[in-house]
Structures are given as structure tokens and as C-alpha cells.
Amino acid sequence: MRGSLWHLGQSVTRRLAQADKKAVARRFFASEADLKKTVLYDFHVANGGKMVPFAGWSMPIQYKDSIMDSTVNCRQNGGLFDVSHMCGLSLKGKDCVPFLEKLVIADVAGLAPGTGTLTVFTNEKGGAIDDSVITKVKDDHLYLVVNAGCRDKDLAHIEQHMKAFKSKGGDVSWHIHDERSLLALQGPLAAPVLQHLTKDDLSKLYFGEFRILDINGATCFLTRTGYTGEDGFEISVPSENGLDLAKAILEKSEGKVRLTGLGARDSLRLEAGLCLYGNDMEQHITPVEAGLTWAIGKRRRVEGGFLGAEVILKQLEEGPSIRRVGFTSSGPPPRSHSEVQDEKGNNIGEITSGGFSPCLKKNIAMGYVKSGLHKAGTKAKILVRGKAYDGVVTKMPFVPTKYYKPS
């Protein structure tokens, strides 16, 4: 999805507030009939969700509260997100680990059962096809979630390589979890609220860990992860139990955890310094350039064995020519594709995501600049609607992360 969801949310809100609401609704929601709907669609609408097209789905950009309030509430209390548009899949078979290692940069073999990591699917040039959270359920079962907007190309890519791998005798099969829905519960109240709905002790489940367990009477895949920088969970639930689970979570929180839309999800992930595929990562950007060197397993740095490894290992040795960095700036918030210049007016890069931070009450952005100009404190000019404003390279995350890790 090009451009910022935050900006889309702001423009939807502004335009709906203006006179001709019917014409605006037609323009934004014209293709409603063609869009896929999650099992919570009617629940979103009943709760004031403003539905917008996103990656072929009709999704809530926000509810009755503003994106600003919703973002702050997630960090202070909690937010419940319907992320069922994302694609969960399982790879099974005794060779599923070596198979996946041909496609991603992670040391999948080195993961302990019940743990996971963020990884990147790469192409032959080392560019990012997609980012994904992968989990080793057991040595012969991997569970992964890929982005909604990349679903078709990701599945085609995996399938093409799986056919070749199986033709050489490899034992791997897959199942796409279209029978399940995905909810993300994020924020300081996530664990205490979810604990009411399961007998398993969540204090023993740390960031990046995975369990299959009973939540609210349904068998769920639970990963302690998220896309906000807060502690929280992603819960894969059988679709027939999705609505009941969402209602139970909101009820147990006594109104403090709120339904939260894609607009706040975008500002939360930007504050946490996390990439949005299609903005901050694309086919021509490598994991090294994107600042995800930490996600390349140590063994993989030596052995390679994934698509584009030659390019990536060379960048690890020599350094990349561009790097992803954070910015703070004055003036109007920078947008995707805003030009970044040095103080003399020379082009040094571009913004890939930007907006006004609801929690910090200032402009934040991320983008790519030439190596050497990526150090925190480097001054820059950021062009917004043709006018240059002061910016400075800033360490990310902008808001400190609160992941639940062993003390």
C-alpha cells in the first residue's frame, strides 16, 4: 500500500467531516462489493468502524475515537486489532526447515521449538519480497504470517520453489490457514486481560515465543509479538470463534482495551521504528540496507544458501550504499517520497514513511540516505510540497519498546 495509512485516515476523516458525505463515501467505498470481509466486518461497522479498501479487504481505518487518541490509548491501556487480512500458513514435513532456509535469511534450524523471529523473503538480487514472522512449532512444522498485500506473490514464490524442492525428493507440504482469523492484542493490559481467558500461565511466555493453547474455549496459535513496540500477542483463532474472542477480550478489559484500526496501527509501528512493506521495504531494498542485519542468522552470514546471498554477504562485508534511518523534523509532517537533502541542497535520499507522532507530539519519519550521512544527529532538509524544512537523523525506535523478555 503506497503512502501512509495515517495520512489516508486523516484525509478520510477530513473529507467525511465536509459537506457532501455521500459523494466521499462513494469515492472511498466504491468497490465495497468486490472487497473481502473478515468475520468481524459487521462488528466493526456496528462499533463505528470507518471501513476502507486495504490490500483487497474492507478494513477499519479507525473507529469513533481519533487516530491520535486510539494510538495513545494502545500505549496507555491496550488496543485490539483485526488483522485477519494477513495470511497465516504452515509448512510441514521433515525437510520443511531446509526448504524455508532457501527462501529466508533466518537461521530457522537454530530456532528452538516454540520460538520465532522476524525474517525476510529475498529475491535473486537480495531484495525483499516480503517480511514475515516465522515460528518453529516443532522440527517438522513451521508457522508463518505474511503481509496481505504480498499474499499472492508470496504464495506463488513459495509454491514455485516447493515444486522444485519436492521434485528432488524433498519432504515438505503446506497448508494456508484461510479457516482461521488473526487478532492482535497490544499494550500494557494485553497480558492481564488475556490471562482471564486461558488457564496457561502467560507470564512464562516471552517475546517471540509461540504456544498452541485454549483461549476462551477455542484452540488458538498464540505468539507473543506485535507491530506496535508494546508487549502483546497475535492470536490465530478458528474463524467461527473469532467474534466471541474479540467480544470477550473487550469485556474483560472493562472498556480500557479498545478496538483499534489500521490508522493507529500505522502510527504505532512508525513510533516503534518498524518497517511497512511497500513503503520502507521493497523488491529493490536488501535487509542490510533496511537495517535488518540482526535478522540474518550468524550461520547464514557464513554459509549463505538463500536467494541473493552473494549480494547480501558482500554488503555485510563492504557496507551498503544506502541505509534506513529515522528523522524528526519541523513544519508539516513529511510524507512517503518527500526528498531529503543535505544542508547545501544536494539530494541524499528520500522519506518512505512519515507522520505526526500522537505519543511524542512531533513529526517523525523514516527513509533512506546515503551511507556516511546516516549517523544520529546529522542535519538534513526535508522537502514537503516543494518547501524545505529542517530535519535531523534520529535513532529508532522513537518510542521505547516494551517487549516482555526474561529479566
Side-chain angles (χ1 to χ4, degrees):
M1 167 118 196
R2 302 302 304 163
S4 156
L5 286 166
W6 183 86
H7 286 111
L8 175 62
Q10 296 302 309
S11 67
V12 171
T13 309
R14 266 200 312 278
R15 287 169 187 172
L16 287 177
Q18 288 160 3
D20 189 1
K21 286 189 183 170
K22 279 184 186 160
V24 173
R26 270 199 306 277
R27 186 179 151 196
F28 275 100
F29 313 128
S31 53
E32 264 308 274
D34 314 325
L35 296 172
K36 290 180 268 197
K37 294 180 170 68
T38 75
V39 293
L40 294 183
Y41 175 84
D42 292 335
F43 187 61
H44 296 313
V45 172
N47 282 278
K50 293 187 175 117
M51 310 304 286
V52 299
F54 181 77
W57 293 77
S58 179
M59 298 300 290
I61 190 98
Q62 67 184 105
Y63 295 86
K64 288 170 183 161
D65 54 353
S66 69
I67 289 173
M68 300 280 285
D69 289 345
S70 192
T71 302
V72 171
N73 184 68
C74 181
R75 297 217 188 279
Q76 287 179 348
N77 297 301
L80 180 65
F81 305 79
D82 178 8
V83 288
S84 306
H85 59 311
M86 294 179 77
C87 176
L89 63 133
S90 284
L91 294 173
K92 291 188 173 178
K94 69 175 170 50
D95 299 321
C96 66
V97 170
F99 168 68
L100 188 60
E101 283 201 343
K102 289 178 176 296
L103 306 183
V104 301
I105 59 175
D107 179 1
V108 186
L111 289 173
T115 67
T117 182
L118 177 77
T119 194
V120 178
F121 282 87
T122 48
N123 58 32
E124 283 80 358
K125 292 179 178 167
I129 292 174
D130 196 6
D131 58 336
S132 169
V133 172
I134 59 168
T135 301
K136 182 185 280 183
V137 182
K138 297 185 300 208
D139 286 328
D140 61 354
H141 179 190
L142 302 170
Y143 169 68
L144 45 156
V145 176
V146 300
N147 284 307
C150 299
R151 174 185 170 125
D152 293 348
K153 78 170 177 185
D154 287 359
L155 296 184
H157 175 71
I158 295 167
E159 187 173 32
Q160 176 202 341
H161 286 274
M162 195 186 300
K163 276 181 180 160
F165 187 81
K166 286 170 84 164
S167 73
K168 292 176 187 157
D171 175 26
V172 63
S173 62
W174 67 348
H175 173 75
I176 298 155
H177 290 289
D178 284 340
E179 78 287 356
R180 302 184 79 87
S181 294
L182 194 62
L183 302 178
L185 174 60
Q186 301 282 296
L189 294 181
V193 167
L194 197 62
Q195 190 62 77
H196 286 300
L197 302 174
T198 184
K199 293 192 175 81
D200 286 66
D201 183 358
L202 298 178
S203 72
K204 305 249 187 333
L205 186 74
Y206 295 105
F207 178 69
E209 293 185 343
F210 172 94
R211 299 281 181 278
I212 296 176
L213 74 182
D214 184 285
I215 302 176
N216 201 44
T219 302
C220 295
F221 304 162
L222 184 70
T223 313
R224 195 149 198 166
T225 188
Y227 194 45
T228 61
E230 296 296 315
D231 179 29
F233 305 88
E234 288 187 356
I235 312 160
S236 170
V237 56
S239 288
E240 63 271 23
N241 305 112
L243 179 58
D244 286 345
L245 178 57
K247 286 178 174 172
I249 288 168
L250 296 171
E251 206 172 288
K252 290 292 179 199
S253 83
E254 298 173 345
K256 287 183 175 164
V257 171
R258 291 189 215 153
L259 284 171
T260 310
L262 292 178
R265 187 169 159 85
D266 194 50
S267 51
L268 287 157
R269 69 93 196 166
L270 181 55
E271 290 178 340
L274 301 171
C275 291
L276 173 64
Y277 191 89
N279 277 41
D280 315 299
M281 250 201 297
E282 297 200 61
Q283 302 263 12
H284 61 277
I285 296 285
T286 72
V288 182
E289 293 163 347
L292 298 177
T293 298
W294 62 267
I296 308 169
K298 286 200 176 95
R299 176 175 62 82
R300 312 305 308 271
R301 296 179 199 196
V302 179
E303 295 174 8
F306 50 88
L307 293 173
E310 313 71 48
V311 176
I312 289 171
L313 299 187
K314 192 176 175 205
Q315 284 188 346
L316 286 174
E317 204 177 312
E318 299 173 3
S321 59
I322 57 169
R323 293 174 191 258
R324 181 173 67 97
V325 295
F327 291 96
T328 49
S329 67
S330 63
R335 293 171 180 260
S336 180
H337 301 305
S338 292
E339 185 183 337
V340 182
Q341 299 178 342
D342 64 15
E343 293 193 282
K344 292 177 183 159
N346 304 307
N347 178 303
I348 57 165
E350 85 167 6
I351 299 296
T352 52
S353 288
F356 181 77
S357 163
C359 297
L360 300 175
K361 306 285 185 277
K362 63 182 180 187
N363 297 339
I364 58 172
M366 65 172 83
Y368 286 83
V369 295
K370 290 175 182 168
S371 278
L373 301 169
H374 63 282
K375 300 276 191 296
T378 303
K379 290 184 172 151
K381 297 283 183 193
I382 299 174
L383 267 60
V384 183
R385 300 186 202 98
K387 196 174 169 193
Y389 296 92
D390 290 333
V392 62
V393 174
T394 307
K395 275 200 170 112
M396 296 187 287
F398 300 102
V399 172
T401 55
K402 304 196 183 69
Y403 302 131
Y404 180 69
K405 295 180 176 179
S407 50

